[in-house]
Amino acid sequence: MSYTDIQKASIISLIIEMINIDNVVSVEELTVSNIINNELHISQDIFEMGKALKVEYAIDVVKKMTDQQKFEVGKLLTRIIDADGDVKPVEISLLNSICKLTGLDVILSKYE
């Protein structure tokens, strides 16, 4: 999947938000985050941009992505949630919120 630099930064912003939402940053979450950064070819500049982005802006960028890109973002966030083997309700709540705000929930409902 191909993303622009601002899309990549937005993905980083959402991943960071997901990692931090439960106030516990695990080694496993950081490991998966680093793997995703490598897969998406995230440079240090893009990573720093993602860290600086407000989550609301990142959600707006994802909202404008193609359906396939949104679907892939949802899969990336799910990988972060699953990384430490301890899925917390606050993580699922954030994922559901992101899905609703970006329209990913509508895309997923087509597959039910």
Side-chain angles (χ1 to χ4, degrees):
M1 184 65 42
S2 179
Y3 299 99
T4 65
D5 287 352
I6 193 64
Q7 288 172 330
K8 289 178 183 181
S10 297
I11 293 167
I12 294 303
S13 176
L14 295 179
I15 286 173
I16 291 169
E17 186 71 14
M18 187 61 74
I19 288 171
N20 290 317
I21 193 68
D22 64 357
N23 296 314
V24 177
V25 178
S26 73
V27 172
E28 295 86 0
E29 288 172 328
L30 294 177
T31 300
V32 171
S33 175
N34 286 334
I35 292 168
I36 291 169
N37 290 348
N38 287 332
E39 291 171 357
L40 297 179
H41 307 289
I42 303 293
S43 67
Q44 188 63 36
D45 288 341
I46 292 172
F47 183 81
E48 293 298 326
M49 185 181 358
K51 279 180 29 180
L53 281 182
K54 292 186 182 265
V55 172
E56 297 81 9
Y57 182 82
I59 287 172
D60 192 51
V61 169
V62 172
K63 184 177 185 176
K64 295 172 184 167
M65 288 181 182
T66 67
D67 288 356
Q68 186 60 40
Q69 287 174 316
K70 289 180 196 178
F71 188 73
E72 292 299 319
V73 170
K75 287 175 24 180
L76 295 173
L77 294 174
T78 302
R79 285 171 60 187
I80 296 296
I81 292 171
D82 292 341
D84 61 5
D86 185 17
V87 178
K88 295 191 174 98
V90 69
E91 294 170 325
I92 298 301
S93 178
L94 177 59
L95 180 63
N96 286 335
S97 177
I98 291 169
C99 287
K100 184 175 181 178
L101 292 169
T102 62
L104 180 55
D105 60 336
V106 174
I107 296 166
L108 293 175
S109 70
K110 294 177 187 177
Y111 296 101
E112 291 181 346

